[in-house]
Amino acid sequence: MDVSFFKNISLAASRQLQLRWEIYHVTNTPNFNVPGSALGTPTFALISDVGNSIARQMPFAARFTF
């Protein structure tokens, strides 16, 4: 789940400043891989990897339009 917040500020007739705060992967929940399925092995029913989980990122930005 991603979230973005924007604030537009008018500076002059045709000039505008936009402040942005974007949040990627809001819940920061890991995506676990499937457990081992080979019966009789030491890795049976063991989840040994998190998969393609990306940590939360929160970039801030400013955009000036003229």
Side-chain angles (χ1 to χ4, degrees):
M1 177 172 31
D2 300 334
V3 177
S4 297
F5 297 100
F6 299 95
K7 175 66 177 174
N8 294 320
I9 302 168
S10 295
L11 301 175
S14 63
R15 294 187 174 128
Q16 188 176 25
L17 179 67
Q18 183 181 66
L19 302 176
R20 298 175 169 213
W21 181 30
E22 300 169 346
I23 306 170
Y24 303 110
H25 195 60
V26 172
T27 59
N28 208 23
T29 306
N31 297 322
F32 295 109
N33 279 344
V34 295
S37 60
L39 184 62
T41 62
T43 59
F44 178 71
L46 181 70
I47 300 173
S48 61
D49 195 14
V50 180
N52 62 350
S53 184
I54 299 172
R56 182 182 305 137
Q57 299 174 0
M58 296 191 300
F60 296 92
R63 176 181 173 183
F64 181 67
T65 307
F66 55 95

